[in-house]
Amino acid sequence: MCGGRGETGRCGPRSTHERRASPPPKPAPRGTNRHFLRGLAGVAGAIVFGLPLLMTMEMWWLGFHADRGRMALLLILSFPLLVGLSHFSGFEPTFGWVDDVVDAFVACAVGFVSSAVILLLFGLIEAGMAASEVFGKIGLQMLPASIGACWRHDNSPPGRNGTRIKSGSGNTAASSFS
């Protein structure tokens, strides 16, 4: 028999007020949802910014027919643009040039993957194509998609509300358009 004085024994509590609440679920690791949403915004920016060029036939042909040395030079010379964009208007708060370089590499990876997926969906990349053709098409489309992935997606200027701490004043052309 259970205790008669309101104790909780093997039979359970006697009233609803005496029931134990189940332990609260463990919260997700700090910042997980925020990082996921920033990554999702980066992919969305890459698709939105790169889609008009992904749908242009001349860009596919240029990616296939362009000299590989010139293509590599274009990508190498555009990397400082991505680092600068990450510094002044990146999709994640950064606190130094190393973070900006890492964010530029992440933007390149997001641009590469999103361009590859869109070109696959359009049927412009197929299984029998040469690797140089595939990487030529994706490589040229990666640049505008990387710019879109690196663009800041919140509407607050740098430094406001403690969301972005940068070394600059935030009074740049990039921050005025975001």
Side-chain angles (χ1 to χ4, degrees), residues 73-95:
L73 184 64
L74 172 70
L75 295 176
I76 289 169
L77 291 177
S78 65
F79 192 75
L81 169 82
L82 292 173
V83 172
L85 187 59
S86 172
H87 181 73
F88 290 107
S89 184
F91 62 88
E92 180 175 71
T94 58
F95 303 101

Side-chain angles (χ1 to χ4, degrees), residues 121-148:
L121 290 174
F122 285 168
L124 299 168
I125 296 176
E126 297 172 349
M129 290 181 159
S132 64
E133 181 179 1
V134 171
F135 286 114
K137 287 180 179 181
I138 296 173
L140 188 61
Q141 301 289 346
M142 179 182 77
L143 178 60
S146 298
I147 292 171

Side-chain angles (χ1 to χ4, degrees), residues 54 110-120 125 137-138 141-143 145:
L54 283 163
V110 168
F112 185 87
V113 170
S114 64
S115 296
V117 167
I118 296 296
L119 290 174
L120 275 168
I125 296 176
K137 287 180 179 181
I138 296 173
Q141 301 289 346
M142 179 182 77
L143 178 60

Side-chain angles (χ1 to χ4, degrees), residues 148-165:
C150 200
W151 199 263
R152 185 178 68 229
H153 302 285
D154 64 347
N155 291 325
S156 61
R160 187 174 288 175
N161 298 331
T163 55
R164 293 183 56 79
I165 301 171

Side-chain angles (χ1 to χ4, degrees), residues 6-8 11-22:
E7 300 107 12
T8 56
C11 296
R14 296 194 71 196
S15 71
T16 57
H17 296 294
E18 294 175 357
R19 288 190 186 142
R20 292 183 187 173
S22 61

